[in-house]
Amino acid sequence: IEHIEAAGVHSGDSMGVIPPQRLKPETAEKIEELALKLARRMEIRGFLNLQLAIKNDVIYMLEANPRSSR
């Protein structure tokens, strides 16, 4: 889900779109690789909720929760 608002808006107050509209394909691939590496490292069996911010093609991980969300 791509949030429409800038980083800092609470996810419960935000709008999002699927599929992401402004994400470069290479950034999407990096996110998928990051998520898989993290899930394997944490030995996640199930959902992994990642909150990420992207600026100038740099991915920042804000939060990682081994659960589903909203």
Side-chain angles (χ1 to χ4, degrees):
I1 299 173
E2 178 183 354
H3 286 261
I4 303 302
E5 296 83 4
V9 174
H10 187 276
S11 59
D13 298 326
S14 67
M15 297 272 303
V17 294
I18 300 173
Q21 303 295 301
R22 299 174 290 182
L23 202 57
K24 294 179 182 176
E26 358 6 298
T27 304
E29 288 176 20
K30 287 180 187 176
I31 291 171
E32 187 172 345
E33 290 169 10
L34 174 74
L36 290 171
K37 279 184 182 179
L38 183 62
R40 288 184 185 120
R41 181 76 184 251
M42 294 177 66
E43 298 182 9
I44 300 296
R45 303 280 188 263
F47 293 104
L48 175 61
N49 174 26
L50 298 179
Q51 292 186 26
L52 308 170
I54 300 162
K55 182 165 183 156
N56 299 326
D57 300 320
V58 177
I59 302 166
Y60 299 91
M61 185 175 301
L62 307 176
E63 191 173 324
N65 296 299
R67 61 174 175 78
S68 61
S69 178
R70 291 180 180 71

